[in-house]
Amino acid sequence: MPTPSAPPAEAVGRFQRDLERLTGSGTAFRLGIAVSGGPDSLALLRLAHAAMPGHIRAATVDHGLRPEAAREAADVARHCAALGIAHAVLGPEPLPAGNVQEQARKLRYRLLGRWAEAQGLAFVAVAHHRDDVAESFLMRALRGSGSSGLARMPAIAPLPYGAGTAQLVRPLLDWSRAELAAIAPDGEDDPSNRDLHYDRARIRALIAATPALASEPLARAATNLAEAEAALDWLAGQAWRSRATEGPDGAIVLDAAGLPRDTRRRLAARAIRRLAPDWSGEGLDRLVDALDEGKMGTLGGVKARNHGLAWHFGIAPPRSGHH
């Protein structure tokens, strides 16, 4: 494969500035790149290579769920070889029982976390961009999501599901899909992105067919909500320090008296994540409703119950078998 043409210098400089704002580390460190082979992740790979030559490591996750996945991983390996970038294929590994998409997402981050640790990487970059933000915002708005669901995904955060010590960075959140496609026109888009059986593909088609639903203002709204989320999380942190008590057995007691529902919800989420880092985040509203009604519930392997105005959280005992 011939060496791909380098991105324009202006784009490389813009990428450098965006990445440095997130990492605060200049460009003298090694950066991991998650590359699927689509135009977005190939553009990320080429921008990072141009900005940090010799400092890039790349990985492709193959879940083994699609017959084309092995070929796509091999294509990425060829792209990396042409640029002189070390590349690894992670997986496939058996998926645990449950929702296939959710389990595949968890396994993806676990594999990336394991790889980052072995490579000594402090940061792993993914190619989420402005159009992804707009699509997620509209998709979740149509589902009636609250501010946390509508907010833009963080530009930097720990790998989800407690998958490792590396930070996940998204340096392309202010870049459009079209800008990235111009940098990697040879990227092969995942066919599922055009399959209208999937919510995201339908939302993408709706945005494309509706000029009033431009991605830029939708993404700006999601960014504004992310700022509001940060403020609400800060307030919840203040409440946690004065309202949460952790026992020697790991159990957590929250004083929920007089707190707004949103704060109660955030404190409950903190308690669950403290006890069950793998919790997906789903089901929280139903649990808070149950606690508000004086009932109990179990979420993510954590049992929660209402004792008057105090909410108690602890690891749920294993279910006894039936004989």
Side-chain angles (χ1 to χ4, degrees), residues 195-263:
D195 186 342
L196 297 182
H197 288 96
Y198 294 100
D199 288 348
R200 186 171 291 276
R202 291 195 295 272
I203 290 295
R204 184 173 298 183
L206 176 64
I207 291 175
T210 312
L213 293 177
S215 66
E216 190 169 358
L218 290 172
R220 194 183 316 124
T223 301
N224 291 339
L225 279 167
E227 293 176 359
E229 273 295 293
L232 290 168
D233 266 343
W234 183 86
L235 291 170
Q238 298 293 100
W240 177 273
R241 282 187 280 278
S242 61
R243 300 280 192 133
T245 305
E246 298 185 58
D249 59 350
I252 296 170
V253 179
L254 296 177
D255 174 8
L259 293 175
R261 176 185 165 82
D262 183 76
T263 307

Side-chain angles (χ1 to χ4, degrees), residues 36-44 127 177 180-181 183-190:
S36 66
D40 309 335
S41 62
L42 275 185
L44 172 62
R177 179 178 289 121
L180 300 175
I183 292 169
D186 51 335
E188 186 175 344
D189 199 20
D190 185 337

Side-chain angles (χ1 to χ4, degrees), residues 135-147:
E135 290 160 10
S136 295
F137 176 84
L138 191 55
M139 187 163 57
R140 291 170 179 173
L142 292 173
R143 293 175 183 167
S145 292
S147 60

Side-chain angles (χ1 to χ4, degrees), residues 46-131:
R46 290 173 185 171
L47 287 164
H49 172 68
M52 305 168 61
H55 292 273
I56 303 303
R57 302 292 182 270
T60 303
V61 175
D62 175 9
H63 290 106
L65 297 175
R66 297 183 298 114
E68 319 88 61
R71 176 187 58 78
E72 292 165 357
D75 287 344
V76 174
R78 284 191 285 273
H79 281 287
C80 289
L83 294 171
I85 296 172
H87 173 260
V89 178
L90 311 180
E93 288 188 9
L95 288 179
N99 180 290
V100 172
Q101 287 187 328
E102 180 184 331
Q103 294 300 335
R105 186 165 53 249
K106 285 184 179 180
L107 179 59
R108 176 179 185 242
Y109 285 117
R110 286 191 184 120
L111 290 171
L112 287 170
R114 222 180 288 161
W115 168 74
E117 186 174 350
Q119 294 287 319
L121 304 172
F123 301 99
V124 175
V126 292
H128 294 134
H129 50 74
R130 189 176 72 202
D131 294 77

